[in-house]
Amino acid sequence: CSGSHGSGGGDGDGDEEAGEGRAAAAAAAGALSSLGGSAAVAAWRRGTETEAMRVATFVDRGLAALREKLASLEHWTDEGGGGSSTKAKKIPGGYNMELRQLEVLGRLGEDVSKLRSFSELNQVALFKIFKKYDKVLSTTEGLSSQYPALVARARLDSVLPFDELSARIRGAFLKSSPCKGLEASLEVARLAAGLSSQSKGHRGPGLGQTWTVQFGERLLYFFLGLSVALFVAIIILIAIPPAHKKTFSTAYFMANFCVFRVVLSITLAVWGVGTVARVCEDNHINHCFLLGVDPRCHIGPNILFFAAALLSSLWIMLFGMYVIDYKWMVLPEVMSKSGYNKRSNVLFMLYPSILLLSTICLASWPSHTCRNRYKRALLQSVGRTCLAPLYSVSFADNLVGDVLTSLAKPLQEVPATLCYLWQHHPLPKEAVEKFVRHGNTCPQWEPSAHARRALAGVTSKGQNDVSSPPWLPS
């Protein structure tokens, strides 16, 4: 008998039984060639019948578990958890909850198909075993009488339980509001509801899919290794002495680093989100349900990794070009007379500007996968987190708040970035001196002359003088 991983409602013990059944099948087929007397034949028959009944027990347990799950879903629907768009709209997040119910129904449909394939595969295995039996013993008794009797006893040829479960799942799908008025198969109903035809986080066992996953992982690791090597190369370029040291200014060179740091923080955040999503999928954690993500959203770790890789490539290319251009003055000078010194160039502002503009375009670019409603949902979560006393927050909003507190330092670079882009370019001497004093080119607000005189008067009276300040009425 043969097994199928991830089948139906089977638990861990059922998977172990399926694995033992595969081993027993190979042993039974191999033992045919060594059969001698009638006692050995009888022992082999008993062993084959035992393994066939173990498969039947596994299938029955899987069907029972699937029926129990389906009954609980139908009970939840009858209690008002879903089933009509009117009810769903009255419940906060009710429509998404109804879609999640349909997603679970779709997974049950997949489990029914897997369990059915498991039963059919074992039926074929028994057929081949008894065919080998007839060939070795030069008889027709195996396929003519023993095989049909054993299959009927183990109920491996019965498709009614699977058809009944599939029909109930399809009926539950068609009763939902997204599929109302539709008469089609289960796969068509899932697509009509906006759900994928295969559950997220469940990688198929096919050789083609396995090869694709392995190739994607190798490509990801290659890119990460290449990025680390390019980062090291940029560090070496920064350490190399520049040309014309007299005009080289470290302050001018680092004045636009705030823009690069903002984009780098966004890139690292996308890498982190993709990594968390990949870990959740590998450990079969339904993070989309925990975070209240729209079930129709198909943004997986591969899409996040692609976006992060694209941003990383742009960052490495533009930052490396800026380092080379400033230290060795590759491009011609433009408007250098109005800048800090002869090395000043208005083109130095283009590198961070192009990088920031590319990041904004990538985030706002229309996509069939990352739709605008998902982007709005993320912005709304940030807004609810910032206005938490005025709005109720969810578990996902709490995580967004935690992420924002972790990004407190990178968020401080946003005002510095806006000030740098607002400055006259190439940077004048006043802006560079301001960067040397304060670490950014933003205007520093200073008290007026009257306020300075008042503060000086208070200070001159000493610590023991508790009289009112001069700007307050006596």
Side-chain angles (χ1 to χ4, degrees), residues 115-133:
L115 191 60
R116 184 170 185 166
S117 299
F118 174 80
S119 177
E120 294 172 347
L121 189 60
N122 281 279
Q123 184 180 355
V124 173
L126 285 174
F127 173 80
K128 291 190 175 183
I129 288 174
F130 279 100
K131 184 177 180 181
K132 182 71 173 179
Y133 171 86

Side-chain angles (χ1 to χ4, degrees), residues 34-53:
S34 60
L35 292 178
S38 58
V41 172
W44 177 84
R45 288 176 181 172
R46 289 194 298 271
T48 304
E49 291 177 0
T50 301
E51 295 303 325
M53 297 311 299

